[in-house]
Structure formats: structure tokens, C-alpha cells
Amino acid sequence: MQDTPRFEYTGPEELRVPITRALQRVVDPEVALSILDVGLVYAVTLTEDKAHVLMTMTSAACPVTDLIIDDVQAELDPVIPPHMKIVVEICWEPPWGPERMSPHARQLMQW
């Protein structure tokens, strides 16, 4: 996880590592890499009643978007306090680019 691209995090510090580990377990099945290694997560913001994940896909035509969103919610559910709603938002700005990938992912993909 050390060479994984960082995402913006706003929330209690004690939840940063559990959230990061949970997101690291979510795999983009098209490339068989963690969504963090691919660089799909832009930000995680925790408020009093919500955990908001802002992320993107490698393309607007990604056929596994719903699967990835479901996996994000499933992995975060055990680590997010039960009173908080998990909201995953897909955005297209800024667009994803291979520079968002971790060095490990770029090496595996030979980029």
C-alpha cells in the first residue's frame, strides 16, 4: 500500500487506515488491480452522518461500474460507524489518466 496513489481524506484520523485498507481490497476486475492502485478514488469525506467516496472509472463505458460501487460499499460497511450512510459518487472531472496509477500498477501494466 506504500506506493498507492493518495486520495484526499477528510474525517477522523483513526478511520483513515481502516478505510484505506478496505478500499485497497476492492479490485477493478478488468485489470485485476485494486481501485487504489488504479487511481480511481479521488476523495473520501466523512461527515457526522455520511461517508462520501468520490471516484471515477477509467472510461465512461466501464461495464463494471456497478460492481465496483457495490464492492466499495461492502468493504466500507464494516469499518464505517453504523449510523453513517455510505455514498459513492462517480465523477468524470478530472478525467482518469494512467498517471494516477501507482508505480506498482504501471509496472504490472507495462506503462
Side-chain angles (χ1 to χ4, degrees):
M1 216 163 44
Q2 293 180 1
D3 69 356
T4 301
R6 296 175 48 88
F7 53 89
E8 289 182 35
Y9 176 80
T10 305
E13 195 56 38
E14 66 270 13
L15 291 177
R16 181 190 299 263
V17 169
I19 287 170
T20 302
R21 287 182 179 151
L23 293 173
Q24 188 69 32
R25 290 189 296 268
V26 177
V27 173
D28 180 334
E30 291 192 306
V31 293
L33 290 167
S34 160
I35 62 171
L36 292 185
D37 283 321
V38 179
L40 299 181
V41 178
Y42 290 149
V44 175
T45 304
L46 276 63
T47 61
E48 192 172 307
D49 61 349
K50 181 171 58 173
H52 181 254
V53 179
L54 182 64
M55 60 182 295
T56 194
M57 296 291 137
T58 55
S59 80
C62 180
V64 294
T65 300
D66 290 339
L67 175 68
I68 291 173
I69 290 171
D70 290 346
D71 288 351
V72 166
Q73 291 172 330
E75 289 294 337
L76 287 177
D77 190 54
V79 300
I80 298 296
H83 70 278
M84 297 176 87
K85 180 179 180 180
I86 299 168
V87 177
V88 180
E89 178 186 356
I90 302 296
C91 69
W92 303 110
E93 292 296 326
W96 179 87
E99 70 281 354
R100 294 211 30 95
M101 296 173 77
S102 71
H104 171 72
R106 282 195 302 271
Q107 181 182 27
L108 287 174
M109 300 293 290
Q110 300 179 346
W111 289 45

